[in-house]
Amino acid sequence: NQVVKAPGDGYTLMMMHQGLAFNATLYANLTYDTLRDLAPVANIGATPNALVVTASLPVRTPQEFLAYARTNPNKISYGSGGIGSAGHLSMELLQSLTGIKLTHVPYKGSGPALIDLMSGEIQAMLLTMPAVMPYLKSGKLRAIGTSGAKRSPALPTLPTIDEAGVAGYEYTPWYGMFGPATLPKSVVTRLNQAINKILSEPAIRDQLAQQGLEIQPLSSEQFADVLRADVAKWGKIIRDAGIRAD
């Protein structure tokens, strides 16, 4: 709301993730129009999620996870940061493509869910690479697959969920910069070029890669296309599943 109402002078910007596209459908009473009132400025990058399970769940691959879920419907409880969160919708997509039945346990943020996952109170989550890497290295959680279209450089030995037989499954949340729709095109272009120049610096790319973020510089027009496509794609998933966040 603050960004939408800000002057279009380039001095009020917002860094936001793919949840912006979810919210366009999740909330019935938004005071702004996601596609009309915001100007996509630059895409920073994207990170696939890792499908992680508690140590007590007897699965080590996505195929074993799906087989277990099919023979034990609703017995796998998965956590998320809340109704309509990324962790919720990405698992809804998995269920819609496979027909498996899982039990959703929404939390007030992914932090409490992660604690319960490590203790075994819940059995699975889809989490971003930066969130999950420390717990994989310490052995507190087991990663069995990743959600991107291709294997993640951060976990190259893990198959993607698509590779494991779930055709068409892809969830690679992006992070990008936005401004108010009143931003002049010349300002959007200048900001886009400046951000993409920064992202081309090896030190920046390496630092973000260590956190699991794959740099994906785009023009502002290309980033706008990504936003439009995701509003449509996830809007259908949200409506089909009957999810509301109001």
Side-chain angles (χ1 to χ4, degrees), residues 8 25 29 62 79 102 114 119 121 138-139 152-153 158 173 179 186 213 220 230:
T25 304
N29 299 311
L102 309 173
L114 192 53
S119 70
E121 289 292 319
S138 67
S152 169
L158 284 186
S186 59
L213 189 72
S220 58
D230 274 346

Side-chain angles (χ1 to χ4, degrees), residues 39 50 53 68 85 87 100 102 139:
V53 297
Y68 187 92
S85 66
I100 61 172
L102 309 173

Side-chain angles (χ1 to χ4, degrees), residues 51-54 57 65 76-80 91 102 117 122-126:
L51 178 57
V52 294
V53 297
T54 189
L57 194 69
F65 180 87
I76 296 178
S77 296
Y78 75 91
S80 80
M91 289 295 249
L102 309 173
L117 179 64
I122 56 176
Q123 289 76 52
M125 286 184 74
L126 264 165

Side-chain angles (χ1 to χ4, degrees), residues 184-205:
K185 176 60 180 172
S186 59
V187 175
V188 172
T189 299
R190 183 179 176 189
L191 287 167
N192 178 269
Q193 291 173 347
I195 292 165
N196 287 346
K197 182 178 179 181
I198 292 168
L199 294 176
S200 70
E201 296 178 10
I204 297 295
R205 298 178 71 93

Side-chain angles (χ1 to χ4, degrees), residues 198-221:
I198 292 168
L199 294 176
S200 70
E201 296 178 10
I204 297 295
R205 298 178 71 93
D206 291 347
Q207 185 172 353
L208 293 176
Q210 288 172 15
Q211 300 177 48
L213 189 72
E214 299 174 28
I215 299 301
Q216 296 176 347
L218 300 173
S219 68
S220 58
E221 293 85 2

Side-chain angles (χ1 to χ4, degrees), residues 83-142:
I83 293 173
S85 66
H88 179 200
L89 295 180
S90 55
M91 289 295 249
E92 284 291 336
L93 177 60
L94 181 62
Q95 291 180 87
S96 71
L97 291 174
T98 60
I100 61 172
K101 300 296 182 184
L102 309 173
T103 298
H104 179 217
V105 183
Y107 288 78
K108 292 182 178 179
S110 59
L114 192 53
I115 292 171
D116 277 4
L117 179 64
M118 286 188 285
S119 70
E121 289 292 319
I122 56 176
Q123 289 76 52
M125 286 184 74
L126 264 165
L127 289 164
T128 63
M129 295 294 179
V132 78
M133 291 302 286
Y135 304 104
L136 299 182
K137 291 175 181 176
S138 67
K140 293 181 179 178
L141 294 174
R142 181 190 308 138

